[in-house]
Amino acid sequence: MTDAAGRDQDAVSKFVESFAAQLVEAGMQRMPARVFAALLSSDEGTMTSAELGEQLRISPAAVSGAVRYLAQTHMVSREREPGSRRERYRVHGDQWYEALTNREAIIKRWESALREGVSSLGADTPAGRRMAETLAFFEFVEGEVAAMMERWRVHRHQLFGD
């Protein structure tokens, strides 16, 4: 069976499940991984709950839970269809950038908690030194991610323009 673009739907389904399995192996929950892969592989980058449910053969509740998770992690956004109560879910071309950038806020919170841990435990104790090393790691990662994201913006512009 082929779609309007002439693609083999079985091949597309196999890709969606294969990529979702890779995301699950990396730590993402199974249903959000499947929904994300389906959105990413759609030409428009948007689908309704009904379209996702039909393509993935999952319940509306499963779609809802997956989309909630993906929206919280900034991997998809919700949009209202004009003149309708129906929502569409969109994956953006820069979703990886957004997801990684939003992780920076989490790293900042971890750094703050680790600073408190170093202070509470004492920097000269074994536990305090371990906390200090963990803090130094996250401070290093934060700086590297910021520099990498700037290089990505330049690289993306060279590849795809604005």
Side-chain angles (χ1 to χ4, degrees):
M1 175 189 273
T2 60
D3 64 11
R7 286 182 289 244
D8 178 346
Q9 282 300 303
D10 288 336
V12 171
S13 290
K14 284 179 184 175
F15 163 76
V16 167
E17 295 304 326
S18 172
F19 187 59
Q22 295 297 317
L23 294 171
V24 169
E25 195 172 306
M28 187 182 280
Q29 297 171 11
R30 183 173 180 269
M31 205 54 66
R34 293 182 71 213
V35 168
F36 181 75
L39 285 167
L40 191 62
S41 67
S42 71
D43 281 340
E44 301 80 19
T46 66
M47 297 175 83
T48 64
S49 178
E51 290 167 337
L52 285 163
E54 182 179 330
Q55 179 178 335
L56 299 172
R57 296 181 185 103
I58 59 177
S59 71
V63 172
S64 178
V67 168
R68 185 178 324 107
Y69 171 86
L70 292 167
Q72 288 172 345
T73 59
H74 305 281
M75 293 181 76
V76 302
S77 60
R78 298 171 191 249
E79 301 174 349
R80 285 262 186 224
E81 289 187 350
S84 171
R85 290 179 23 179
R86 207 163 61 163
E87 287 186 329
R88 296 190 72 74
Y89 307 109
R90 175 177 301 279
V91 64
H92 298 278
D94 63 351
Q95 76 276 353
W96 299 112
Y97 173 86
E98 290 298 323
L100 195 52
T101 299
N102 288 312
R103 294 286 183 233
E104 286 183 277
I106 293 168
I107 291 173
K108 287 259 190 227
R109 289 196 307 265
W110 289 350
E111 288 173 359
S112 177
L114 288 164
R115 275 188 202 90
E116 185 178 321
V118 170
S119 176
S120 298
L121 296 166
D124 295 331
T125 67
R129 282 192 298 278
R130 195 169 40 253
M131 289 288 160
E133 184 176 341
T134 304
L135 172 59
F137 171 78
F138 282 116
E139 289 171 337
F140 175 81
V141 166
E142 181 185 6
E144 291 298 306
V145 167
M148 180 181 64
M149 297 312 273
E150 182 54 37
R151 289 191 309 274
W152 166 246
R153 280 191 287 277
V154 170
H155 184 70
R156 181 176 186 260
H157 179 71
Q158 290 169 346
L159 289 176
F160 303 106
D162 270 340

